[in-house]
Amino acid sequence: MNTAFVTPTQLTSSELLGATDDLELIAQRVVEGFMHGLHQSPFVGFSVEFASHREYMPGDDLKHINWRLFGRHEKLFVKEYDAETNVEVHLIVDASRSMIAAGKWSCAAMLAAALGHLAIGQRDAIGLTLFADKIQTHLRPRSTADHQLEVLHALARPQDHPACETARVLHEVAELSPRRGLKVLISDFYFQQDELADAFAHFRHYGHEMIVFHVLTPLETAMPVSGPVRFRDLETGEEIVTQAEAIRDEFVSAVRQWQTELKTLCQMHEIDYLAIDSETPLPIALREYFQRRSELF
């Protein structure tokens, strides 16, 4: 599979167009792969408006019961929703320096392209924001094929990947598209948890639905190396030299704890969380997620 679109070298105009074409083809293949076996839109359940309550009737789905009302009135009520005809999908992709490690940026770009391709195919609007220490690229949501090409072009274009040690830029991102929609945040999330909590609250303040895709590498989740290793923080430049065997168990345990904390934070803000291995085929990862979600609606 050609991944020329993610190389950090300067490309000529013709090369960039070729890289964009490559990314579009990859997006199509990914979508075709994970749509197999799904019987409804993978975005089902997103961007629905709460309409009213009514009393529970035998046969109603228990997941729609409002248990808070039951606590106050000792009667069962279910929530009813009006589905919107279209979804505004805002792709927010971390382009900071740590994302160039072990194929993370390639994975993130392909994921964003695939979700954009899917949204356009459903006549939904897509927007794109690339961020690091500040916003690098912002394309307002639109639903045309020409706009999809702009999104692919932005993802295919070589990135500077500056260092980024704070999630505060996400507050600025939240203000760019306040209209209610689906926010898809793709990152490795090397940020402080309290900063992320504030940013998530900002997005949810506008009533957005959110999916968080946490991009991880096998080195982070399993550390499959031996002997002397040199760790370099791609955001700060700090380096540590150690023996892999001496720290592997503690390192992997710490990563799992960090993952658990991020997932818990997402659950607190009613945000869908999915960890993505940079080496796992995207159709497999996405099919599992969207199949699970489609079963809820």
Side-chain angles (χ1 to χ4, degrees):
M1 183 177 291
N2 192 330
T3 56
F5 61 92
V6 297
T7 57
T9 58
Q10 288 295 320
L11 299 179
T12 65
S13 297
S14 60
E15 286 173 328
L16 182 54
L17 288 174
T20 301
D21 289 341
D22 287 342
L23 185 52
E24 183 175 16
L25 180 60
I26 291 169
Q28 290 173 353
R29 289 176 176 172
V30 170
V31 169
E32 289 169 0
F34 82 80
M35 283 291 289
H36 180 70
L38 291 182
H39 302 294
Q40 55 185 326
S41 164
F43 288 153
V44 67
F46 288 114
S47 291
V48 292
E49 296 285 357
F50 170 73
S52 62
H53 287 101
R54 63 170 174 79
E55 285 197 47
Y56 171 82
M57 297 179 63
D60 284 337
D61 197 325
L62 296 179
K63 69 174 177 283
H64 294 306
I65 290 177
N66 188 324
W67 294 107
R68 291 184 180 180
L69 283 184
F70 174 75
R72 293 202 298 267
H73 300 282
E74 297 186 353
K75 287 185 178 181
L76 292 176
F77 293 89
V78 295
K79 300 176 183 179
E80 292 187 313
Y81 299 88
D82 289 330
E84 297 176 354
T85 56
N86 296 101
V87 180
E88 191 173 275
V89 181
H90 184 188
L91 306 167
I92 306 164
V93 187
D94 183 352
S96 64
R97 189 171 297 164
S98 64
M99 290 293 289
I100 66 175
K104 284 184 185 179
W105 175 251
S106 175
C107 176
M110 287 188 288
L111 174 58
L115 294 174
H117 179 81
L118 173 64
I120 289 293
Q122 297 179 171
R123 297 185 177 86
D124 295 324
I126 56 169
L128 174 69
T129 300
L130 305 180
F131 74 93
D133 56 334
K134 59 183 179 181
I135 293 172
Q136 295 182 301
T137 300
H138 177 65
L139 299 174
R140 295 176 60 185
R142 292 167 55 201
S143 57
T144 66
D146 287 345
H147 183 64
Q148 182 188 15
L149 186 60
E150 286 187 68
V151 169
L152 292 171
H153 191 86
L155 290 167
R157 188 169 54 242
Q159 307 297 324
D160 292 335
H161 296 294
C164 180
E165 298 179 51
T166 175
R168 287 192 291 270
V169 66
L170 290 175
H171 290 283
E172 187 177 351
V173 175
E175 292 294 330
L176 289 175
S177 300
R179 181 180 173 184
R180 190 176 185 276
L182 172 61
K183 303 294 182 181
V184 179
L185 180 55
I186 305 170
S187 174
D188 56 8
F189 292 99
Y190 280 112
F191 305 118
Q192 295 295 323
Q193 292 281 342
D194 56 346
E195 290 183 351
L196 278 174
D198 289 344
F200 289 165
H202 196 158
F203 283 109
R204 296 291 286 151
H205 169 74
Y206 286 115
H208 300 307
E209 298 283 348
M210 286 192 74
I211 311 176
V212 156
F213 288 102
H214 188 188
V215 183
L216 295 163
T217 69
L219 180 61
E220 292 167 311
T221 57
M223 203 170 137
V225 294
S226 302
V229 290
R230 182 190 302 272
F231 289 94
R232 183 171 184 267
D233 189 321
L234 292 173
E235 304 294 356
T236 67
E238 182 181 356
E239 292 188 355
I240 298 175
V241 179
T242 185
Q243 291 287 327
E245 293 82 359
I247 67 166
R248 180 180 291 115
D249 291 345
E250 185 176 356
F251 180 88
V252 171
S253 177
V255 170
R256 288 176 181 167
Q257 178 63 29
W258 167 52
Q259 260 191 280
T260 298
E261 291 173 358
L262 178 56
K263 186 175 182 179
T264 300
L265 180 61
C266 289
Q267 291 172 339
M268 289 173 56
H269 290 274
E270 298 182 302
I271 295 170
D272 276 1
Y273 171 91
L274 183 68
I276 295 284
D277 187 314
S278 62
E279 294 188 5
T280 297
L282 284 178
I284 295 175
L286 291 175
R287 187 187 308 125
E288 178 184 346
Y289 167 72
F290 282 121
Q291 183 67 53
R292 186 177 75 240
R293 179 157 188 97
S294 67
E295 290 171 356
L296 298 176
F297 292 90

